[in-house]
Structure formats: structure tokens, C-alpha cells
Amino acid sequence: MILMSAAMEAVRPALRPHEFNPAEIGALAHLYRGEVYRSTIWRTRLDNTTNWAVVTLAIALSVTFSTSEASPLPLILAGILCIVFLLFEARRYRYFNVWRARCRWLETNFYAPMLRGEGVKPSGGWPQVLARDYCEPRHHISLARAIGRRLRRNYIWILGIQTLAYYAKVAVHPVPMSNLAELVQRAAVGPIPGELVLLGGVLFTTGWITFALVTYYLDRTKHALRPGGVAMG
């Protein structure tokens, strides 16, 4: 069967690019509208996840700073929840990136030449790339890079505010601290000593900053090594 399939592929005539007729141009225009609609829907889902993180942090800030005796624990829990929302949003971003990449591909290869007066030509193999993406759909970005993008663009600021608010809470409530020993004492959460809580906070913050920088480097490397016209996204 494998030999038969190979023989059939060998005798199959190669597809030659041809000028798009008006019906095909109209079909591509409707295809573009559909992809824009899907990318808009998924973009809205991304915004919803970010809103959840912002609301969670706002509630934690209100509870923590409501009285001077209130515990800073809600801020720690808010940071953990923000990471959960970040993972949700990164997964949604991978789907959004599929529709966004297709829209961008049509804009640069179909509409841009038309606006420049060059006509619509299937040169460069871009229709084959788009057709392959429809026949073999896949994510155009890894989960790690998606997390890094959403972290750099949105969540790094949310987590930064959460970290500063936590430090401000333990530094000024119930009274402004006078030495580092008080900071360690106030950072304790139940049976967990303050040293472990502060160490976990430092590792949490530096870890996500490092992750953002590493994925930024991966993004730059990916785009720098990508040959033109062979992939989308």
C-alpha cells in the first residue's frame, strides 16, 4: 500500500498556481471575515481572564488594607490565583493566535498586494501554506511562549502590584516596622515561619521575572530564525 501511494503521488500532476477569479476572490474575502470574527471572539475571552485577575487582586487589596490588624494572607492567595488565571489565558492565547495568524497571513499576502496595485497572485506559495494550515491545523506557539507573552504584557504588572502591596502591608501595619526582624515576624503565616514565607516570595518573584526574560529570548530567536514564507504566526 505504501508503494502504491508513492507511485500515485509520483504520477499526480503538480498543481500550478493560477490567477484568482472573481468567485475565488469573493470566497477569500468571506474567509477573512470569518477569521476576523473568530479572532475577535477569542480576544474577548483573553480580556475576560485578565479582568478576573484584576478583580481578584482588587478584592484582596480591599480585605488586606481594610484594618491595620488584617492579615496579608489574601494577597498571597491572590498571587496564586493570578498564576492560575495566567495559565488559563495562555491556553486561550494559543487558540487566538491561530486565527490571528491566518488573518495576518491574508492581509500581508492577499490584501496588501491588491492595495499596492500588484493584483492578486498566488506567487510565493502563500496559498499552499494557508491550505496546509487548514488541512493540518496546529498551534503556532508553544504553551511556554504563550505564558511568557501574556506575562510580559499583562500579568507582570498585576503581580508587581501584588508584591508591592504585600511588602507595604507587612511594613506599615499595625505600625511602621523599625527593623528587619519585625518584617520576618509579620511575614509568618500560621505555623509557617516568616523566613520561609519571604524566601518563597523572593523565589516566586524572581522565578517569574526569569521566565518572562527567557521566553522573550525564545520569541526573538524564533522570529529571527524563521525563513520567509514558510510558516504562519
Side-chain angles (χ1 to χ4, degrees):
M1 292 297 295
I2 298 177
L3 294 177
M4 184 180 297
S5 299
M8 293 179 63
E9 289 291 336
V11 300
R12 181 179 297 174
L15 296 177
R16 297 180 179 179
H18 65 280
E19 295 285 342
F20 290 115
N21 57 46
E24 292 172 336
I25 292 177
L28 284 174
H30 286 292
L31 177 65
Y32 174 73
R33 292 177 58 189
E35 296 296 351
V36 168
Y37 174 77
R38 288 200 286 188
S39 66
T40 302
I41 294 298
W42 280 90
R43 177 67 202 188
T44 303
R45 299 191 69 186
L46 292 180
D47 295 337
N48 288 339
T49 316
T50 305
N51 292 339
W52 298 346
V54 172
V55 170
T56 299
L57 180 58
I59 294 174
L61 289 172
S62 300
V63 173
T64 302
F65 288 93
S66 59
T67 63
S68 59
E69 292 79 16
S71 172
L73 182 59
L75 285 174
I76 299 177
L77 298 178
I80 297 174
L81 278 176
C82 285
I83 296 303
V84 174
F85 294 145
L86 171 61
L87 297 178
F88 290 165
E89 187 164 324
R91 178 180 176 274
R92 294 178 176 184
Y93 181 82
R94 297 184 75 194
Y95 287 95
F96 160 77
N97 191 62
V98 173
W99 322 129
R100 181 206 62 81
R102 290 175 180 174
C103 290
R104 187 60 180 161
W105 196 253
L106 285 169
E107 289 169 353
T108 55
N109 294 284
F110 180 71
Y111 286 103
M114 186 187 305
L115 294 173
R116 288 195 298 262
E118 301 172 359
V120 181
K121 300 178 181 179
S123 58
W126 69 266
Q128 287 72 29
V129 174
L130 185 60
R132 184 169 63 250
D133 193 68
Y134 278 109
C135 294
E136 301 173 3
R138 59 181 178 82
H139 292 297
H140 299 147
I141 184 174
S142 65
L143 180 60
R145 289 174 57 209
I147 294 174
R149 286 188 183 182
R150 303 316 297 168
L151 177 64
R152 293 192 302 271
R153 296 178 183 178
N154 286 341
Y155 284 81
I156 196 70
W157 309 107
I158 299 175
L159 295 176
I161 294 173
Q162 179 257 344
T163 302
L164 292 176
Y166 176 81
Y167 175 77
K169 173 63 181 179
V170 297
V172 303
H173 283 169
V175 294
M177 68 177 186
S178 58
N179 52 61
L180 291 179
E182 290 187 19
L183 176 65
V184 175
Q185 181 181 0
R186 295 177 184 180
V189 177
I192 304 176
E195 293 87 348
L196 289 181
V197 175
L198 293 177
L199 178 61
V202 171
L203 293 177
F204 180 85
T205 304
T206 56
W208 284 111
I209 292 176
T210 303
F211 187 87
L213 294 176
V214 170
T215 51
Y216 176 73
Y217 172 77
L218 293 177
D219 260 350
R220 293 292 299 270
T221 304
K222 181 74 174 182
H223 288 290
L225 296 178
R226 175 181 299 163
V230 298
M232 297 171 57

